[in-house]
């Protein structure tokens, strides 16, 4: 029996701090949520997955695992019955600059070898190369949802975009493969763009955006075009430029993929609602959120969707965007409603999103005069998110300032001051002001 190790699953478990026993327990609970009966996995079951002895878990287990991780089973290294497994590159836990030099150097060597006359034929670039890059893209997505906004993620994604482009010159390839390589490069560059947005490095984000847009056009891939233009709308929203944000988001919403798949339409509408919130357009915000909800309800299960969309967009994210919109409008009661609903359905892997939503909930509670509840909520944000995620850090600074303004001498304020005494502000926070919650 072929027992090629599932290094993709191993990498995900390492990235998210899961032992075999802990993952088994978490999946068992997820099975119980939708079947009513707990799963029967134990640590040895997960070790069988990692060792490659089980290549395609049973359907209920797969669904539970996908709910826990936010990724489809194939993106976790599992192989449907009847398909041949492609062995992925083992992920490296190394310095991002070293990783970039290794990637670019290795591809450059391959390109030289392909171009040098000799007895061997030029290398043929195929879909197995694309598959390998797509697995690396899954790793980037997982890192983003766990950490978000970090410079290392941005650098790693940019280096992988370079790798995809360098493969174009490393040998011969079909037009399908070349288009797929451009789509991979655009995907990585869009992740670099998103990491820069999330880290509030807006000028860097614009640089990544321009290159991503060019690569997406060369690929012809509608899904990645949507992702890039939708990210552009978010970028301009956070920069306080709602007119540009609407224009960019409209490009995404007018792509034909939004007519083919209501899930894309729902995401585009939800992000439009968040933009209307920053523009203080109450009626448009409510109308577009209703349209987004309707589109999500029309989206059918089982439709093929890219891993980046499957990993994050669901009812919890729609409610998170509604929360952002209503906070901007000053409708704090509705903001709190959507915050609680989002937190109740957030999948476990959405660590960054949970920190952001919790912080926004604290703002909504404080604005309604409940300083004690707001402070208790804000103290739920993990210290690493509070100190290492630029957007969360900024929002918590603003929360502290608002708390001191409304209750300067209260014991609650003193508790918050003591709680945050050891925090350090990310350096880039000093560079940007005026962006939105």
């Amino acid at each position: 029996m072929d027992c090629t190790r599932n290094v993709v699953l191993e990498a995900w478990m390492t990235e998210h701090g899961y032992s075999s026993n802990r993952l088994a327990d978490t999946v068992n609970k997820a099975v119980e949520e939708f079947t009513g009966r707990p799963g029967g996995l134990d640590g040895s079951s997960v070790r069988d997955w990692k060792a490659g002895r089980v290549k395609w878990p049973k359907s209920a287990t797969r669904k539970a695992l996908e709910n826990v991780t936010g990724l489809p089973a194939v993106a976790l290294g599992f192989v449907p019955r009847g398909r041949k497994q492609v062995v992925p590159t083992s992920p490296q836990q190394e310095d991002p600059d070293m990783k970039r030099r290794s990637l670019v150097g290795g591809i450059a060597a391959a390109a030289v070898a392909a171009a040098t006359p000799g007895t061997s034929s030029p290398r043929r670039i195929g879909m197995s190369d694309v598959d390998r890059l797509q697995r690396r893209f899954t790793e980037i997505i997982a890192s983003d949802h766990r950490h978000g906004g970090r410079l290392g993620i941005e650098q790693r994604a940019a280096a992988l975009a370079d790798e995809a482009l360098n493969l174009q010159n490393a040998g011969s390839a079909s037009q399908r493969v070349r288009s797929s390589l451009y789509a991979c490069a655009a995907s990585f560059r869009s992740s670099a763009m998103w990491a820069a947005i999330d880290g509030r490095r807006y000028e860097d984000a614009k640089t990544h955006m321009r290159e991503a847009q060019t690569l997406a056009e060369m690929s012809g891939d509608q899904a990645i075009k949507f992702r890039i233009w939708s990210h552009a709308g978010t970028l301009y929203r956070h920069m306080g430029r709602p007119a540009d944000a609407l224009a960019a988001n409209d490009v995404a919403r007018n792509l034909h993929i939004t007519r083919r798949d209501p899930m894309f339409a729902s995401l585009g509408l939800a992000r439009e609602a968040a933009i209307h919130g920053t523009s203080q357009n109450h009626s448009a915000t409510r109308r577009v959120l209703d349209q987004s909800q309707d589109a999500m309800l029309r989206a059918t299960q089982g439709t093929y969707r890219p891993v980046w969309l499957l990993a994050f967009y669901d009812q919890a994210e729609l409610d998170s965007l509604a929360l952002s919109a209503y906070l901007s409008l000053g409708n704090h009661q509705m903001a709190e409603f959507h915050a609680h609903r989002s937190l109740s359905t957030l999948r476990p892997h959405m660590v960054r999103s949970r920190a952001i939503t919790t912080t926004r909930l604290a703002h909504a509670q404080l604005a309604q005069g409940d300083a004690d509840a707001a402070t208790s909520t804000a103290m739920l944000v993990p210290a690493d998110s509070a100190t290492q995620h630029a957007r969360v850090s900024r929002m918590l600074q603003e929360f502290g300032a608002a708390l001191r303004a409304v209750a300067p001498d209260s014991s609650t304020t003193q508790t918050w001051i003591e709680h945050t005494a050891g925090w350090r502000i990310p350096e880039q926070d000093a560079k940007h002001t005026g962006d939105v919650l």
Side-chain angles (χ1 to χ4, degrees):
M1 178 181 178
D2 179 14
C3 291
T4 303
R5 290 195 70 81
N6 187 339
V7 295
V8 177
L9 177 64
E10 288 183 310
W12 185 92
M13 290 174 63
T14 299
E15 174 75 22
H16 293 77
Y18 276 92
S19 66
S20 295
N21 288 335
R22 183 186 169 207
L23 182 59
D25 290 342
T26 305
V27 173
N28 284 338
K29 292 174 183 175
V31 169
E32 185 174 17
E33 287 178 2
F34 66 86
T35 67
R37 301 179 63 182
L41 301 174
D42 56 21
S44 65
S45 305
V46 177
R47 287 189 286 275
D48 285 342
W49 297 347
K50 295 194 293 183
R53 290 187 288 271
V54 174
K55 298 183 181 298
W56 193 242
K58 294 179 181 178
S59 59
T61 303
R62 284 201 315 275
K63 176 175 173 55
L65 183 62
E66 290 172 347
N67 288 345
V68 168
T69 63
L71 299 171
V74 291
L76 290 166
F78 292 104
V79 182
R81 293 179 181 85
R83 293 191 189 176
K84 183 178 178 181
Q85 184 167 11
V86 178
V87 181
T89 304
S90 179
Q92 301 295 315
Q93 301 297 322
E94 58 184 280
D95 177 77
D97 291 334
M98 181 67 74
K99 183 183 290 289
R100 179 184 176 89
R101 289 194 294 271
S102 298
L103 289 171
V104 176
I107 295 302
V112 170
T116 302
T119 56
S120 60
S121 301
R123 182 186 172 194
R124 180 72 177 174
I125 309 301
M127 289 307 294
S128 62
D129 297 285
V130 174
D131 290 341
R132 177 178 57 80
L133 286 169
Q134 288 174 339
R135 286 185 172 87
R136 300 303 297 273
F137 183 55
T138 298
E139 295 169 22
I140 292 289
I141 295 295
S143 294
D144 173 66
H145 288 304
R146 181 171 176 80
H147 303 296
R150 295 190 181 175
L151 184 60
I153 297 174
E154 178 187 345
Q155 291 173 331
R156 185 151 47 112
L160 286 164
D162 290 343
E163 178 179 356
L165 286 177
N166 283 330
L167 269 176
Q168 295 280 7
N169 300 315
S172 60
S174 67
Q175 184 57 47
R176 175 184 174 226
V177 169
R178 295 204 180 280
S179 295
S180 297
L181 287 174
Y182 282 125
C184 284
S187 298
F188 286 123
R189 190 61 69 171
S190 68
S191 283
M193 172 188 173
W194 178 252
I197 294 170
D198 212 24
R200 306 177 77 248
R201 300 180 293 275
Y202 299 141
E203 291 304 314
D204 293 337
K206 286 191 285 186
T207 299
H208 292 305
M209 175 184 70
R210 287 189 285 269
E211 185 162 351
Q213 288 166 340
T214 300
L215 292 169
E217 288 300 323
M218 294 168 75
S219 75
D221 187 306
Q222 285 271 307
I224 198 58
K225 287 183 186 179
F226 177 96
R227 187 185 197 219
I228 292 162
W229 281 104
S230 184
H231 281 351
T234 301
L235 168 63
Y236 291 127
R237 174 168 65 89
H238 282 291
M239 293 178 69
R241 294 165 55 178
D244 291 333
L246 275 177
N249 196 67
D250 281 348
V251 176
R253 289 192 53 232
N254 287 328
L255 292 168
H256 69 70
I257 196 169
T258 63
R259 295 185 289 278
R260 189 173 74 237
D261 187 345
M263 191 63 78
F264 282 89
S266 176
L267 175 55
L269 287 162
R271 285 180 166 163
E272 180 182 334
I275 297 167
H276 285 312
T278 64
S279 301
Q280 299 298 299
N281 191 330
H282 292 253
S283 60
T285 299
R286 289 191 296 270
R287 182 185 71 253
V288 174
L289 281 173
D290 286 344
Q291 292 171 346
S292 176
Q293 187 68 70
D294 178 67
M296 175 169 283
L297 293 174
R298 288 188 285 106
T300 57
Q301 299 297 319
T303 301
Y304 169 78
R305 296 183 177 102
V307 64
W308 61 263
L309 184 66
L310 291 172
F312 93 102
Y313 191 61
D314 55 12
Q315 184 63 52
E317 178 64 15
L318 197 164
D319 281 309
S320 177
L321 288 164
L323 159 63
S324 176
Y326 282 117
L327 266 183
S328 297
L329 290 172
N331 188 337
H332 300 112
Q333 187 174 4
M334 283 298 294
E336 182 175 5
F337 167 78
H338 284 285
H340 285 299
R341 197 162 78 164
S342 178
L343 289 169
S344 70
T345 56
L346 265 175
R347 289 172 280 175
H349 74 282
M350 302 291 281
V351 178
R352 183 268 318 277
S353 293
R354 185 171 296 278
I356 291 173
T357 302
T358 302
T359 305
R360 287 172 172 164
L361 172 58
H363 276 272
Q365 291 171 327
L366 183 61
Q368 294 177 81
D370 197 343
D372 290 343
T375 302
S376 296
T377 297
M379 290 174 67
L380 294 174
V381 178
D384 60 343
S385 295
T387 58
Q388 298 181 41
H389 189 285
R391 190 143 56 103
V392 174
S393 179
R394 180 75 179 185
M395 287 192 291
L396 287 173
Q397 290 175 61
E398 293 170 350
F399 172 83
L403 179 63
R404 289 189 293 273
V406 300
D409 300 319
S410 71
S411 60
T412 298
T413 300
Q414 185 59 37
T415 298
W416 178 252
I417 291 171
E418 293 171 359
H419 179 72
T420 61
W423 289 2
R424 294 291 180 269
I425 302 170
E427 183 179 349
Q428 64 264 28
D429 254 13
K431 299 179 182 178
H432 303 289
T433 58
D435 53 356
V436 298
L437 294 177

